[in-house]
Amino acid sequence: MAISAIIGGQWGDEGKGKVVDLLSSEVDVVARYQGGANAGHTVYKDNQKIVLHQIPSGVMRDDCKCLLGNGMVIDPIELVEEFENVKSKGLTINNIFISMNAHITSPIHKLIDVNSEKKSNNKIGTTGKGIGPTYVDKYNRKGIRSCDLLDNENLKSKIEKQTNRALSSHQISTDDLNSIKNELDMFFKACNTISKHITDIMPILHGSDNLLIEGAQGTLLDIDHGTYPFVTSSNPSSGGITTGLGLPLNKIDRLIGIFKAYTTRVGNGPFPTELFDEDGEKLQNIGKEFGATTGRPRRCGWFDAPLAKYSIMINGFNEITMTKLDILDEFEEIKVCTEYECNGEKSKNLSTFINQFDNITPIYKSVPGWKCSTVGINSFDDLPEKAKEYICYIEEILHTPIKHISTGPKRNDMIIR
Ligand code: IMP
């Protein structure tokens, strides 16, 4: 059994969907282990764009089984919408299997999420998909799991209890509740629809010959290792795989870190290399940096090497895929943050300053841009010399091989080294 995992090395949106899609040609199963409808993985089929939120990107291949692991939080309404969307693109949903122990996001969770953001003085900038409140219920041992969807009466009673708890703790009001009556009806219908996909996924997972694990979000959004409290509520880092799927630690052969050739972040929280100038706007416009789930503009900045090194250390990446190299094509000068300075102290290790992250000054090294198109280039040798130098420079700082380089949105816009 060969197992590979694809994990976001930065703050999410690194282009993991495309890499999963590429590698899934070699695998029989693709599994997700955390997160839920907050994710947005963009893939292309016959030049048609498909945005996946909860369904693993393996759905693009008819013969690939897709598993939604116990560590995920599943939104039934959104999942049914996704089912319809992938079916309309000619793809099958027959190979999608949901773990019996995955937790369920209800319309109440979404209300709590949105209300809590409205009231907060320290907004996280969540996706509003109810992710945090679903995980809160899970860890409070009050969660609804997908196995609960198999018994309608039990499900209704659990939703009633969840609603009463939210009302009595003033997380939602009766007006709020009235406003989601239709949504609650849709929820029960959607639960019924997705219940056909709920099963014991262990035999598929452990019976796979070639398994690909698909991370969502990114390492710096990890609840334990990210820029807390501006994080998501799960463990996108490799540590989440073992609990989020039920795979032993010693089974994973290949850990692939996905990094953009620059850095982006959506939502609030510190971001040392963020650009507020023309270069930032250029990255945002050329890179079409708008959230796949919420449409929010993504904040953009230069590549942050201390952040990448930390991510490699936390996850144990043995190789890197660099995405969106082509977005840097028009820049005269490209910067790479090589070190941080905080209160007069310098460090190349992010962990030194992780709790003072909003007080960091990045120290940059400038490298010359290549000023010509790399879009669609498939061979490393065909890249302009300065683009090769940029990649080799980053590889040298990170001490980790960059084995794939994405040069455009299409499936084949990829260099395999
Ligand atoms: P939540 O996961 O909706 O609770 O949001 C928490 C933080 O994670 C916010 O800053 C979101 O913008 C960010 N976030 C959640 N999912 C993604 C993602 O898939 N890509 C990028 N950022 C995300």
Side-chain angles (χ1 to χ4, degrees), residues 100 145-152 154-155 195-196 198:
M100 290 190 291
R145 291 181 302 161
S146 51
C147 55
D148 295 316
L149 271 45
L150 304 174
D151 173 347
N152 283 340
N154 171 40
L155 175 64
S195 65
K196 298 167 196 99
I198 296 166

Side-chain angles (χ1 to χ4, degrees), residues 3-19:
I3 307 186
S4 310
I6 285 174
I7 294 170
Q10 295 156 316
W11 275 291
D13 309 313
E14 298 91 353
K16 297 177 285 292
K18 179 179 166 179
V19 186

